[in-house]
Amino acid sequence: MYKRSADLHQNETVDIMATRKKDFDLALVLKAAQRCKQEDGSISMEEFLRAYNELCRFFKLIGRIFGFVAKDLEDKISILEGYVDRNPDQYRTVQSMIDHEVSNNITKLRGRPPSGSRTLLRLHRALEFILAFMRRLGRSSDHDRTSYIASDVYKVTLAKYHPWIVQKMAVLAMYTLPARKDLIEMMCKQDYEEVLQLLIQVTTAAQPVYDITQKLYLDNDILNLP
């Protein structure tokens, strides 16, 4: 998924300090996630990208190694926002985007920019990690180390798409994460008890978005786009 080598930290430095502590707004993510699924079951691209712009802060705050993930996701968001701006009818929803690109045989386009379907797939894969991590975080105790949670979740989600060297660097970096309460108080705008409730609400609202998108990609045989 992300083409990086051992000199990643030298070539792709990200100013993590630009994202301040207590800067992650789970309430904003919840609001966008709730609006994402339309009454007809379609997935709004605008609300999906609104939620993801905030989720990039999450990656920046959980560890320096994930700064490159955040940078890559921001690039993907920018590409999709460009498609939405230029072709609002075709890219209004995830469904309309896939219908348009499949019918025009452009889903595998890897140029500049790559296809919307290929670009969104990268965000979709990262969402699997985010939802699993948040769900486990909400179920853990105050003093459970989030490093173990993050590492376990990473190994069965995002790690599948990362080269070996990035996997090792990511797992090593995650061991520096603190206990649940310390992590939440460091990252989130909301107070601790509110965040615990928001974690449940966000995963409940966002899981159908993930499931619908997963099925769309599977049904159109584009779940493994290169």
Side-chain angles (χ1 to χ4, degrees):
M1 177 182 177
Y2 305 102
K3 296 179 180 178
R4 299 291 187 270
S5 61
D7 59 353
L8 167 70
H9 61 289
Q10 295 176 349
N11 298 332
E12 285 287 334
T13 56
V14 176
D15 186 8
I16 305 302
M17 295 308 295
T19 300
R20 298 169 297 170
K21 293 183 178 181
K22 300 189 72 67
D23 203 32
F24 180 47
D25 191 346
L26 259 179
L28 189 156
V29 176
L30 174 61
K31 188 175 181 180
Q34 290 172 331
R35 292 179 175 178
C36 205
K37 182 182 176 184
Q38 308 293 287
E39 290 185 2
D40 62 357
S42 61
I43 304 300
S44 165
M45 286 287 286
E46 180 181 3
E47 295 300 337
F48 185 95
L49 295 175
R50 191 191 310 278
Y52 237 107
N53 269 307
E54 188 63 26
L55 288 172
C56 280
R57 300 178 189 272
F58 165 82
F59 278 107
K60 290 178 181 178
L61 286 165
I62 63 171
R64 182 169 296 275
I65 185 59
F66 279 98
F68 87 89
V69 176
K71 178 62 169 62
D72 192 80
L73 295 179
E74 286 173 339
D75 290 344
K76 300 293 187 286
I77 290 169
S78 179
I79 291 169
L80 289 170
E81 288 174 337
Y83 276 119
V84 173
D85 288 342
R86 293 189 299 272
N87 303 285
D89 292 336
Q90 290 89 345
Y91 290 84
R92 184 181 64 83
T93 68
V94 174
Q95 286 87 340
S96 63
M97 176 190 72
I98 291 177
D99 287 345
H100 167 68
E101 294 194 345
V102 168
S103 63
N104 287 279
N105 197 30
I106 57 176
T107 58
K108 295 182 180 180
L109 184 65
R110 301 179 68 177
R112 289 313 245 173
S115 72
S117 299
R118 184 179 183 276
T119 303
L120 183 70
L121 180 59
R122 275 57 185 173
L123 301 184
H124 176 67
R125 289 170 176 173
L127 183 60
E128 181 185 19
F129 168 79
I130 293 169
L131 293 180
F133 179 72
M134 287 185 176
R135 191 173 291 112
R136 287 274 301 273
L137 194 65
R139 294 171 179 170
S140 62
S141 69
D142 288 352
H143 303 293
D144 281 348
R145 289 199 62 82
T146 56
S147 56
Y148 297 116
I149 297 172
S151 179
D152 285 347
V153 171
Y154 173 77
K155 288 174 183 176
V156 297
T157 56
L158 274 180
K160 295 181 289 186
Y161 312 107
H162 288 169
W164 178 84
I165 186 63
V166 173
Q167 293 180 36
K168 295 301 180 184
M169 292 169 66
V171 171
L172 183 63
M174 281 184 280
Y175 279 120
T176 65
L177 292 175
R180 182 181 79 165
K181 188 171 184 179
D182 294 332
L183 181 69
I184 288 174
E185 291 180 343
M186 177 188 76
M187 287 177 56
C188 299
K189 285 186 175 182
Q190 291 77 25
D191 64 43
Y192 182 65
E193 294 301 326
E194 184 179 359
V195 168
L196 295 182
Q197 294 300 313
L198 283 168
L199 286 171
I200 298 171
Q201 294 172 312
V202 167
T203 54
T204 299
Q207 189 62 51
V209 175
Y210 176 87
D211 293 340
I212 291 171
T213 304
Q214 179 80 359
K215 188 174 187 303
L216 281 168
Y217 274 81
L218 184 63
D219 289 348
N220 286 278
D221 195 26
I222 54 174
L223 196 55
N224 296 304
L225 286 174

